[in-house]
């Protein structure tokens, strides 16, 4: 194992991959997000142990209100059966995984950002109520935090604040952490969100809003050989940053991860699609 491989090693765990019906138990508006609490007796062997975990959450058709969603392949088996016709699945980061003492069921939250041009997810969250039923698929697996890294740089827009909070929570106290937030405006709410969610106050600075704002902010932050970089948010804004990390700084592949969480103007962006069409290779 190379020095970079051991410094930035991340554990990998696979989970049973199936579709699970979950019920909304609580809805609360927090700054910029709607927090929806989901619970089910189908979450017994469900797990989410990595900071970038995501569940594909299936919402009703915003026009008809009908929920088309995958179903389990078979009792106790891995696999799903996809519905015929359109289904409205979007990715969300599970937060605050816990057991409800009253029901004994597993419970977790999703923080759904209120955004312009809302799609089925943002529209559903606006009107969600306790008792509503939806379906989740995944996480299929969890990749743990880079806990041996002496330093962590998070470059995130609001859709990835839940993931950033999980990263901060999972890192050892001794790790140095810096967040570059892709937010136009005051950062107080970002600091409060991350501190409340992770239990730790970390420095947060802003990226410039120009086309190269993220890359410029990271270049200024000076990524050294001790620093793991996780970046996620609007896919187009991540392209110059990815080029900086991969080509200009030529960081070892183990030292960074850049993930497009949504793309301006694209409905249901596929986060497995290459971020940089000029360099589709991982
Ligand atoms: C791994 C992963 C984890 C994620 N975790 C979270 C999370 O915890 N919380 C969260 O809020 N989001 C999260 N996202 C992003 C979320 O899945 C997308 O923002 C999704 O597109 C929202 O669905 P929608 O139905 O509201 O909009 P869509 O139907 O997908 O899109 C409708 C329109 O809204 C635009 N749009 C989508 N997202 C945004 C946005 N953030 N700001 C402005 N315009 C937008 C689209 O470009 C499109 O024009 C995550 C994505 C991934 C890949």
């Amino acid at each position: 194992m190379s020095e970079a491989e051991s410094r930035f090693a991340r554990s990998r765990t696979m989970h049973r991959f199936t579709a699970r019906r979950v019920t909304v138990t609580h809805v609360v508006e927090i700054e910029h997000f709607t927090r929806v609490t989901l619970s089910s007796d189908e979450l017994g062997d469900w797990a989410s142990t990595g900071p970038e975990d995501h569940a594909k959450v299936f919402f009703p058709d915003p026009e008809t209100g009908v929920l088309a969603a995958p179903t389990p392949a078979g009792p106790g088996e891995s696999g799903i059966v996809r519905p015929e016709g359109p289904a409205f699945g979007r990715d969300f980061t599970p937060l605050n995984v816990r057991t409800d003492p009253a029901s004994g069921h597993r419970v977790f939250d999703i923080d759904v950002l209120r955004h312009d041009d809302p799609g089925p997810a943002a529209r559903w969250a606006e009107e969600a109520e306790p008792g509503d039923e939806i379906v989740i698929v995944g996480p299929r697996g969890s990749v743990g935090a880079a806990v041996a890294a002496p330093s962590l740089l998070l470059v995130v827009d609001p859709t990835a604040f839940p993931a950033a909070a999980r990263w901060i929570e999972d890192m050892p106290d001794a790790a140095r952490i810096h967040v570059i937030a892709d937010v136009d405006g005051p950062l107080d709410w970002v600091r409060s969100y991350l501190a409340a969610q992770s239990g730790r106050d970390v420095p947060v600075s802003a990226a410039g809003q120009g086309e190269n704002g993220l890359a410029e902010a990271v270049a200024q932050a000076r990524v050294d050989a001790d620093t793991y970089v996780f970046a996620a948010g609007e896919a187009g804004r991540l392209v110059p940053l990815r080029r900086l990390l991969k080509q200009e700084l030529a960081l070892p592949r183990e030292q960074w991860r850049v993930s497009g969480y949504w793309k301006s103007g694209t409905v249901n962006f596929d986060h497995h699609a290459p971020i940089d069409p000029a360099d589709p290779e991982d």
Side-chain angles (χ1 to χ4, degrees):
M1 199 186 262
S2 72
E3 208 181 317
E5 279 169 340
S6 52
R7 188 171 309 148
F8 302 119
R10 302 183 60 185
S11 63
R12 285 172 187 276
T13 317
M14 293 309 291
H15 308 300
R16 187 166 71 90
F17 179 66
T18 188
R20 305 171 203 252
R21 288 195 84 86
V22 292
T23 305
V24 173
T25 59
H26 203 65
V27 183
V28 61
E29 300 286 311
I30 56 176
E31 211 168 356
H32 298 277
F33 292 100
T34 304
R35 172 164 294 178
V36 182
T37 304
L38 300 168
S39 173
S40 172
D41 62 357
E42 296 185 14
L43 294 175
D45 68 347
W46 178 87
S48 171
T49 53
E52 291 153 51
D53 282 0
H54 50 280
K56 177 86 65 193
V57 185
F58 286 84
F59 302 99
D61 181 327
E63 304 307 327
T64 64
V66 173
L67 176 64
T71 50
E77 283 177 28
S78 244
I80 58 171
V81 179
R82 293 178 197 282
E84 282 176 20
F88 296 90
R90 302 289 186 270
D91 292 305
F92 286 88
T93 305
L95 288 171
N96 310 321
V97 180
R98 57 208 186 270
T99 301
D100 173 32
S103 64
H105 295 166
R106 309 290 299 291
V107 179
F108 66 95
D109 302 321
I110 52 172
D111 284 355
V112 181
L113 186 74
R114 295 187 287 275
H115 65 82
D116 293 341
D117 189 18
R123 282 165 72 179
W124 175 84
E126 262 175 37
E127 296 183 356
E129 288 182 349
D132 289 352
E133 283 203 349
I134 51 176
V135 168
I136 65 158
V137 172
R140 189 187 281 253
S142 298
V143 182
V147 288
S151 168
L152 172 69
L153 177 62
L154 299 166
V155 188
V156 280
D157 82 2
T159 58
F161 289 174
R166 289 194 61 166
W167 262 103
I168 297 166
E169 196 181 0
D170 288 359
M171 290 299 283
D173 291 347
R176 297 185 305 277
I177 302 179
H178 176 197
V179 178
I180 295 174
D182 194 10
V183 167
D184 189 9
L187 293 177
D188 290 353
W189 76 273
V190 183
R191 294 192 185 95
S192 307
Y193 177 89
L194 293 176
Q197 192 51 47
S198 71
R200 180 169 167 184
D201 267 315
V202 298
V204 180
S205 56
Q209 289 304 296
E211 199 181 320
N212 294 322
L214 298 180
E216 285 163 6
V218 170
Q220 269 177 17
R222 294 182 190 280
V223 179
D224 62 19
D226 281 341
T227 303
Y228 187 88
V229 183
F230 170 69
E234 200 281 321
R237 288 186 56 74
L238 293 169
V239 174
L241 171 61
R242 187 174 178 279
R243 288 182 187 154
L244 173 80
L245 300 174
K246 188 177 175 187
Q247 291 161 20
E248 290 168 45
L249 300 178
L251 298 184
R253 191 60 198 86
E254 302 76 29
Q255 196 175 344
W256 56 274
R257 176 157 162 74
V258 175
S259 187
Y261 272 20
W262 64 284
K263 188 166 184 174
S264 181
T266 301
V267 170
N268 193 19
F269 174 68
D270 175 7
H271 70 109
H272 299 294
I275 288 184
D276 186 353
D279 178 16
E281 294 299 315
D282 192 36

